[in-house]
Amino acid sequence: MNYIRIYLRFVIIYMKGKLEYHFSLLLELIANTILIGIYFAGFNVIFYNFNNIVGWNKYEVLFMFTTSWLSYSFSCFFFWSPMRDIGELVRSGKFDLYLTRPINPFIYLVLQQFQYTFLPRLFFSIYFWIYSLQRLSIQWTVTDVIYYSLNLLSGFVIFSAITVITGTISFWTVKSEEIVSLLTDNNYGLKNFCDYPIQIYSKGMQVLLTFVVPYALTGYYPVANLLGKNLPHLWIAHISPIIALVMAIIAYNFWHFGVKHYGSTGA
């Protein structure tokens, strides 16, 4: 509870600083809104020309990738900016300051910022998630609600763990912004590949998105199971919580390993 109060205080301070340049903040939000709007416009263009993608209709695909986007957006509020910027902190030696604070450096990294640029993505995700649900005939049971909620949480953990792992590489490479973007950026990174049914990709890419960088477990598999799609390996639709736990353990230990081997580079 104490961390929640600290985080809210940091958010207020962070946003007050951003509001000093309110025009810049407004332009950032407008730019991100336009970017996400263009993405959904492109999505509609695809389904204007095709009735379905490998048996998935427009609303099923929309429900699938907004499910993934919900987990992704909440994860990015906390972890995107710290893990993107840590390379600069290591390069300049400013990470030393985080090690001298009377708080865990990882928690301090997360608490001191709020990635408000993901608000448009979250808004669009919620809107189209509701929009798609209203057009699908899913007969929800208590078991389905628990299953879906657990997979949303697992998706949050998977996205967060991957972001932390890629950011931690900065302790050795110094600059890892490109690696973070390559794996986690939803506009041009690998994350973008899980916005559509993974059957459209090669077998190798399917394995990559399922077991190596398990983005397919954040939307495709759980939603396919809910929609009654024919999955060749149904058990994969139930392993998201296990994979999330494994990823979290890997990210936790990798981060501490990186901090332990950190050596200040200076300016």
Side-chain angles (χ1 to χ4, degrees), residues 93-104:
K94 291 181 180 179
F95 188 71
D96 293 357
L97 299 175
Y98 291 81
L99 298 176
T100 61
R101 305 295 188 195
I103 187 174
N104 184 294

Side-chain angles (χ1 to χ4, degrees), residues 149-184:
S149 301
L150 187 58
N151 277 279
L152 275 178
L153 178 59
S154 299
F156 170 83
V157 174
I158 289 171
F159 283 127
S160 301
I162 292 173
T163 305
V164 170
I165 290 170
T166 54
T168 303
I169 296 173
S170 290
F171 289 118
W172 292 276
T173 64
V174 181
K175 289 183 68 66
S176 68
E177 296 93 332
E178 292 80 6
I179 299 175
V180 174
S181 296
L182 175 65
L183 292 180
T184 63

Side-chain angles (χ1 to χ4, degrees), residues 28-94:
E28 279 190 283
L29 290 175
I30 291 174
N32 277 275
T33 301
I34 292 173
L35 183 65
I36 302 304
I38 291 174
Y39 183 91
F40 279 102
F43 174 85
N44 280 307
V45 168
I46 291 174
F47 279 96
Y48 180 80
N49 293 284
F50 302 96
N51 292 325
N52 66 81
I53 297 178
V54 290
W56 291 63
N57 65 39
K58 173 182 177 179
Y59 304 113
E60 290 172 336
V61 175
L62 194 58
F63 178 54
M64 182 197 74
F65 83 71
T66 52
T67 293
S68 181
W69 275 31
L70 286 172
S71 299
Y72 175 72
S73 299
F74 279 111
S75 171
C76 288
F77 280 141
F78 301 102
F79 302 106
W80 168 258
S81 183
M83 295 301 109
R84 180 199 61 194
D85 298 339
I86 193 170
E88 176 60 24
L89 294 176
V90 172
R91 185 197 66 79
S92 64
K94 291 181 180 179

Side-chain angles (χ1 to χ4, degrees), residues 98-112:
Y98 291 81
L99 298 176
T100 61
R101 305 295 188 195
I103 187 174
N104 184 294
F106 179 80
I107 294 175
Y108 184 52
L109 267 172
V110 172
L111 294 184
Q112 70 163 351

